[in-house]
Amino acid sequence: MLFKTFHQNGTIVVENIAANMEISKGMTYNHLRELKTMGYISDDGGYSLTDSGRLAVI
């Protein structure tokens, strides 16, 4: 579901992700940190999918 949110919205900020997912900002940061470590997202001026992240959506 998180990848779908990125795919639909492009670059997104933590507050919007947390609201869309109905989870706390702290939990959102934890998920984002893991996804960034795996190379699925980047955080340059907001969070967005990398090429690997786009492939994971398929």
Side-chain angles (χ1 to χ4, degrees):
M1 183 171 198
L2 183 58
F3 282 121
K4 193 175 193 178
T5 300
F6 277 111
H7 187 66
Q8 292 172 345
N9 298 309
T11 301
I12 192 167
V13 295
V14 171
E15 290 80 6
N16 292 347
I17 297 169
N20 288 338
M21 300 289 296
E22 298 180 357
I23 59 176
S24 70
K25 287 193 294 185
M27 191 66 132
T28 303
Y29 278 113
N30 289 340
H31 288 300
L32 293 173
R33 183 175 40 250
E34 288 184 37
L35 292 171
K36 184 178 176 189
T37 299
M38 292 186 279
Y40 293 133
I41 63 169
S42 66
D43 63 351
D44 299 327
Y47 290 94
S48 60
L49 289 175
T50 62
D51 289 339
S52 296
R54 284 185 201 85
L55 288 173
V57 173
I58 296 174

